[in-house]
Amino acid sequence: LHSCVFKNVSSISKTEKKCFIEEIPDETMVIGKYRTQLWDKQTGSFLPATPGLGMHVEIKDPDTKIILSRQYGSDGRFTFTSHTPGEHQICLHSNSTKMALFAGGKLRVHLDIQVGEHTNNYPEIAAKDKLTELQLRARQLLDQVEQIQKEQNYQRYREERFRMTSESTNQRVLWWSIAQTVILIITGIWQMKHLKSFFEAKKLV
């Protein structure tokens, strides 16, 4: 499901990189928001991270091309637009050199990813463009229709790729079967000739 709000809470170590996979159609805006918490040994719970903590966000498209690589603070917001349909990899890791912050060695990341029309702030749009409630609702419906069209195009793209993969696999299986048959025939002919030569040498035929 692409036109959605994806939320995740994950605990990572101080050197671990945590990655999330999101399937996104092309030309679709994505907004990610995150906040971090550090493990506190004294209280035995996660507490809000200090502003000095640095988090690095790296995003790769389906062709593993980096489309965003940037350092943020303990809380951050990143935005990008997909240009290639498929699985996008969103990775977060801490690059803070302040090891004292990691006394407990654990970091909790709350990640909220908004995709498609969910990235639009409709109250802000209504105030900016002075839209009535009916006009705003029409705008929302148009955005949803546009996103559904992108979804359908993406599903057709996936279907085409799956069909090409299936055809390629079937072709390889066919050629492998033919190769096995040819090898068996050649081996059989060689064995018959070898046996004939053996029997002739023993003067059995």
Side-chain angles (χ1 to χ4, degrees), residues 87-166:
E87 293 184 346
H88 286 66
Q89 188 179 68
I90 303 171
C91 298
L92 298 92
H93 68 92
S94 172
N95 58 357
S96 177
T97 56
K98 298 181 178 180
M99 298 301 291
L101 293 175
F102 295 103
K106 288 191 293 185
L107 178 68
R108 176 177 288 175
V109 179
H110 300 258
L111 178 63
D112 177 6
I113 298 177
Q114 298 175 336
V115 182
E117 73 271 10
H118 292 283
T119 59
N120 294 330
N121 188 336
Y122 287 106
E124 182 179 330
I125 292 174
K128 180 180 179 181
D129 297 340
K130 297 179 181 180
L131 302 177
T132 64
E133 185 176 351
L134 181 60
Q135 289 174 326
L136 181 61
R137 182 57 182 165
R139 173 72 176 272
Q140 289 176 314
L141 291 174
L142 287 174
D143 289 342
Q144 289 176 0
V145 169
E146 182 181 356
Q147 189 62 31
I148 290 172
Q149 185 179 9
K150 290 180 180 179
E151 293 285 342
Q152 291 175 336
N153 292 336
Y154 177 64
Q155 293 303 325
R156 282 194 290 268
Y157 167 78
R158 289 185 62 188
E159 182 181 355
E160 182 180 356
R161 289 195 62 182
F162 178 76
R163 179 178 55 79
M164 291 174 62
T165 302
S166 299

Side-chain angles (χ1 to χ4, degrees), residues 12-14 37-42 44-46 98-108:
I12 60 177
S13 65
K14 57 179 176 289
Q37 293 177 307
L38 287 171
W39 176 255
D40 184 74
K41 285 185 176 180
Q42 296 180 348
S45 61
F46 286 95
K98 298 181 178 180
M99 298 301 291
L101 293 175
F102 295 103
K106 288 191 293 185
L107 178 68
R108 176 177 288 175

Side-chain angles (χ1 to χ4, degrees), residues 42-62:
Q42 296 180 348
T43 62
S45 61
F46 286 95
L47 299 178
T50 60
L53 177 67
M55 291 295 294
H56 189 271
V57 178
E58 183 179 270
I59 300 171
K60 295 181 180 179
D61 66 7

